[in-house]
Amino acid sequence: MDATKKSKIIIASFLAGAVLLAMVAVLGMSSTNEEHIATIQQVIQKQGGVIAAKGITVVPLDESPFENSGKGNTIYRIYYTKDGQNLTAWFRSENHSSIKKEPEEWILPK
């Protein structure tokens, strides 16, 4: 095999590997997000609430009541109704993507 063909095969192999790793990372992040949504739905249901349509959003730290959050956290704002009242809950989730993170925490209205 000549050197040109060999180098093309090596480059194609590296590119295929990079694409495969990117796909695995995206699927992993999507799975984690789905786990967080399921947790949010369970907790709000246990509180007797119903989540509003499009009521779960990801927000930055400065828009949340949490003082700290790391790269390994996602902060969710949850709009829901309970006993005819519109309420807002907050959830700081723990991701698997970073060492810098705070523990999971909920802020629920009283």
Side-chain angles (χ1 to χ4, degrees):
M1 181 182 311
D2 68 341
T4 305
K5 190 172 184 180
K6 188 175 181 179
S7 67
K8 287 180 181 178
I9 290 172
I10 290 172
I11 290 171
S13 297
F14 280 121
L15 289 175
V19 168
L20 182 63
L21 286 175
M23 290 173 56
V24 168
V26 168
L27 290 173
M29 288 187 301
S30 175
S31 174
T32 300
N33 187 42
E34 290 173 9
E35 288 176 30
H36 293 162
I37 299 299
T39 299
I40 290 168
Q41 291 171 337
Q42 288 174 353
V43 169
I44 297 301
Q45 252 182 350
K46 284 182 185 177
Q47 297 289 319
V50 176
I51 298 173
K54 297 185 181 181
I56 302 173
T57 55
V58 175
V59 297
L61 175 63
D62 61 343
E63 291 183 25
S64 78
F66 295 106
E67 293 181 20
N68 298 316
S69 180
K71 290 181 180 182
N73 295 112
T74 302
I75 299 174
Y76 295 91
R77 176 177 45 216
I78 303 107
Y79 294 121
Y80 69 103
T81 58
K82 179 181 173 184
D83 300 328
Q85 291 184 306
N86 293 325
L87 303 169
T88 303
W90 299 88
F91 176 53
R92 179 179 61 205
S93 67
E94 208 176 282
N95 301 331
H96 309 291
S97 62
S98 178
I99 296 171
K100 296 177 85 174
K101 57 188 165 190
E102 297 293 323
E104 285 189 350
E105 184 178 352
W106 279 90
I107 297 176
L108 296 165
K110 297 184 189 231

